[in-house]
C-alpha cells in the first residue's frame, strides 16, 4: 500500500528516470573499480603518489 | 505549486524529451569514431594500461566528446533548424531546449575532464579540455561561420582522440601519436567536402561559408583531389614508422589506391553528370572514406596486437 497515488508525471517520465538511475549506478561501479585498482597497486602510497596512471 | 505542475505547464507531453533525446545531444555516431580512434591510440602505445583504467579513460574521453557535441548543438541551433540534415536533432525538433543542451554540455565537459585526470593523468585531461575548447570555441563559434577553411582547421578537434588515448598510456605526446592525429586531420576535409557536394543547398540556405558555397563546386572537387593525394602520402608513410608494419602497409596501399581513384573520378565530373546519377560517385566516395579511416586505425591496432607474438611492425 502506497502513501499516495502515483502522479501521472512519474509514469510519463519513468523511462528518463530509469536511464538517469542506470547511468548513476554505472558511475558508482566505475569509481569503485578505479579505486580498487589504484589502491591495490599502490598508486597512493607516499613513494608512488606522483606516478599516477 | 508543485514541481509537477511547473513541468507540465512548460512543455506539451508529446514534445517531452526522452532519455534517448538527451543522449542524441551527445552525437553518438561521432562518439563512436572518438571511442574507436582513442582506443587504438591507447592500445598501440608501448606502455600497458590496466584494463579498468583503459575502459574508464575511453569512457570519459567519449563523454567529453559527447559534451562538445551538445555544446555544438546549443550554439548551432539556428543553423540546425534550417538544414535538412540536422532538422531532426533534439533542439530543432523541440524535444530539448537550448538551455538544457548548454547545461548538459558544460556539466559533462567539466565532469569528463576531471574524471579523466583522476583515472589516467592530468596531461590527458588537459588534452581533452583543449579538444573540447577547440571544437566548441575555435571551430563552432569562430571558424564555422567565418571561413571556407572551417573544416580544414576545425578538423583538428576530431583528430585529437588517438593522441588522447596514447597519452592515457604514456602520459605524453610523441611522433607516433602526432602521426595518428595527422592521418585523421588530413582525412577530414575530403570526407566532409564529399558530403557537402551531395547535400546540395543545405549549407547555402543556412549561410555557412563551406568551400562549395564560397568557391563553387568545381573548386571543391579540385580541393578533394589535392587533399586526398596529400593524405595518401601521409597514410602510406605511416607504414614505415613504429606504429606501422606489413599489415598496415597492405591496407594503406589498397585503401589509398581506391581513395585516390575515387577522388580522381569526382575531380573529372561536372555538376551535370553528378546530378544525372544523383551524386552516385560522391556518395560512394563518402561511404568509402568511413571505411578508409576504420581500416587504417584497425591496421594500426592489428600491428600492435601482433607485436607480443613477434609479428607486428618491421
Amino acid at each position: 500500500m502506497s502513501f499516495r497515488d502515483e502522479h501521472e508525471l512519474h509514469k510519463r517520465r519513468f523511462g528518463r528516470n530509469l536511464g538517469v538511475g542506470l547511468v548513476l549506478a554505472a558511475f558508482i561501479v566505475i569509481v569503485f573499480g578505479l579505486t580498487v585498482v589504484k589502491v591495490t597497486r599502490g598508486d597512493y602510497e607516499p613513494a608512488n603518489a606522483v606516478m599516477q596512471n | 505549486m508543485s514541481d509537477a505542475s511547473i513541468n507540465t505547464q512548460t512543455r506539451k507531453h508529446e514534445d517531452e524529451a526522452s532519455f534517448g533525446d538527451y543522449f542524441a545531444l551527445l552525437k553518438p555516431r561521432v562518439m563512436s569514431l572518438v571511442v574507436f580512434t582513442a582506443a587504438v591510440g591507447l592500445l598501440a602505445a608501448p606502455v600497458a594500461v590496466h584494463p579498468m583504467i583503459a575502459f574508464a579513460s575511453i569512457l570519459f574521453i567519449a563523454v567529453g566528446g559527447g559534451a562538445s557535441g551538445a555544446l555544438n548543438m546549443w550554439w548551432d541551433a539556428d543553423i540546425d533548424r534550417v538544414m535538412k540534415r540536422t532538422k531532426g536533432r533534439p533542439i530543432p525538433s523541440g524535444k530539448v531546449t537550448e538551455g538544457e543542451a548548454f547545461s548538459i554540455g558544460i556539466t559533462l565537459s567539466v565532469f569528463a575532464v576531471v574524471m579523466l585526470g583522476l583515472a589516467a593523468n592530468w596531461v590527458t585531461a588537459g588534452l581533452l579540455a583543449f579538444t573540447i575548447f577547440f571544437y566548441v570555441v575555435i571551430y563552432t563559434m569562430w571558424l564555422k561561420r567565418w571561413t571556407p577553411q572551417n573544416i580544414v582547421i576545425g578538423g583538428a578537434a576530431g583528430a585529437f582522440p588517438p593522441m588522447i588515448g596514447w597519452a592515457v598510456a604514456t602520459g605524453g605526446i610523441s611522433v607516433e601519436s602526432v602521426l595518428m592525429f595527422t592521418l585523421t586531420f588530413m582525412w577530414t576535409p575530403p570526407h566532409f567536402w564529399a558530403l557537402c557536394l551531395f547535400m546540395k543547398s543545405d549549407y547555402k540556405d543556412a549561410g555557412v561559408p563551406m568551400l562549395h558555397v564560397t568557391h563553387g563546386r568545381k573548386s571543391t572537387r579540385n580541393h578533394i583531389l589535392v587533399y586526398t593525394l596529400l593524405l595518401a602520402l601521409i597514410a602510406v608513410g605511416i607504414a614505415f614508422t613504429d606504429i606501422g608494419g606489413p599489415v598496415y602497409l597492405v591496407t594503406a596501399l589498397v585503401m589509398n589506391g581506391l581513395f585516390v581513384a575515387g577522388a580522381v573520378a569526382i575531380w573529372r565530373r561536372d555538376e551535370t553528370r553528378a546530378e544525372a546519377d544523383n551524386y552516385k560517385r560522391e556518395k560512394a566516395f563518402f561511404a568509402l572514406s568511413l571505411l578508409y579511416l576504420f581500416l587504417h586505425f584497425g591496421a594500426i591496432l592489428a600491428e600492435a596486437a601482433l607485436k607480443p607474438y613477434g609479428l607486428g611492425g618491421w
Side-chain angles (χ1 to χ4, degrees):
Chain A
M1 184 182 139
S2 61
F3 287 99
R4 55 180 188 175
D5 288 340
E6 191 180 19
H7 193 282
E8 172 270 336
L9 181 72
H10 298 131
K11 285 180 191 162
R12 184 158 35 92
R13 291 198 177 164
F14 177 76
R16 197 200 290 190
N17 294 338
L18 180 68
V20 172
L22 290 174
V23 167
L24 289 174
F27 178 60
I28 291 165
V29 170
I30 288 165
V31 170
F32 179 71
L34 280 173
T35 307
V36 169
V37 169
K38 285 183 174 273
V39 169
T40 51
R41 69 179 195 176
D43 279 8
Y44 299 112
E45 295 294 323
N48 301 328
V50 291
M51 299 274 293
Q52 282 188 38
N53 183 18
Chain B
M1 186 184 278
S2 71
D3 62 338
S5 60
I6 292 168
N7 282 313
T8 47
Q9 279 168 9
T10 52
R11 199 179 290 168
K12 288 178 194 167
H13 293 178
E14 60 269 25
D15 290 339
E16 201 164 84
S18 65
F19 185 77
D21 292 317
Y22 290 111
F23 184 67
L25 277 178
L26 310 183
K27 298 192 177 182
R29 275 189 298 182
V30 177
M31 221 156 64
S32 65
L33 176 71
V34 167
V35 166
F36 178 62
T37 56
V40 172
L42 190 153
L43 295 169
V47 182
V49 181
H50 190 285
M52 183 66 213
I53 291 176
F55 169 75
S57 299
I58 296 296
L59 185 70
F60 296 134
I61 294 168
V63 171
S68 64
L71 289 170
N72 169 275
M73 285 199 200
W74 157 68
W75 186 263
D76 277 349
D78 57 332
I79 294 177
D80 288 349
R81 285 190 189 97
V82 178
M83 290 174 58
K84 283 183 202 133
R85 187 172 70 90
T86 54
K87 262 184 181 169
R89 284 180 174 175
I91 298 175
S93 63
K95 297 280 186 184
V96 176
T97 66
E98 292 175 32
E100 284 176 320
F102 176 75
S103 305
I104 289 170
I106 287 288
T107 307
L108 288 184
S109 295
V110 174
F111 168 82
V113 169
V114 171
M115 286 309 298
L116 186 61
L118 292 170
N121 55 68
W122 293 101
V123 171
T124 313
L127 277 172
L128 180 65
F130 181 72
T131 304
I132 296 169
F133 167 79
F134 197 93
Y135 184 64
V136 177
V137 178
I138 305 293
Y139 171 68
T140 304
M141 293 183 177
W142 183 34
L143 295 172
K144 187 170 177 180
R145 300 178 193 228
W146 176 59
T147 169
Q149 294 298 313
N150 49 16
I151 201 64
V152 178
I153 309 164
F160 278 119
M163 277 181 85
I164 302 173
W166 182 277
V168 168
T170 65
I173 296 166
S174 69
V175 175
E176 293 87 348
S177 72
V178 173
L179 285 171
M180 285 189 280
F181 167 89
T182 313
L183 181 67
T184 319
F185 179 73
M186 291 303 295
W187 164 86
T188 306
H191 160 79
F192 216 86
W193 285 329
L195 173 76
C196 289
L197 284 176
F198 63 81
M199 288 312 293
K200 298 186 179 169
S201 63
D202 248 16
Y203 287 102
K204 193 178 179 185
D205 297 342
V208 180
M210 295 303 291
L211 189 66
H212 68 296
V213 175
T214 59
H215 289 71
R217 287 166 180 272
K218 184 63 200 164
S219 173
T220 306
R221 291 174 189 278
N222 295 342
H223 275 73
I224 288 175
L225 179 62
V226 172
Y227 272 82
T228 302
L229 291 172
L230 291 172
L231 170 66
L233 285 176
I234 291 160
V236 175
I238 287 174
F240 304 102
T241 66
D242 280 353
I243 52 173
V247 174
Y248 179 91
L249 179 62
V250 171
T251 307
L253 286 173
V254 172
M255 289 312 295
N256 283 282
L258 292 171
F259 211 47
V260 169
V264 170
I266 287 178
W267 175 68
R268 292 177 65 181
R269 277 151 72 88
D270 57 23
E271 283 310 299
T272 314
R273 285 174 65 190
E275 278 182 9
D277 64 6
N278 197 24
Y279 294 88
K280 193 178 165 189
R281 292 270 187 188
E282 290 77 3
K283 286 176 181 173
F285 184 81
F286 179 76
L288 180 68
S289 72
L290 296 171
L291 185 66
Y292 177 98
L293 198 70
F294 175 75
L295 288 182
H296 275 79
F297 275 91
I300 291 171
L301 186 61
E303 295 289 356
L306 289 169
K307 269 182 186 162
Y309 305 102
L311 294 169
W314 297 106

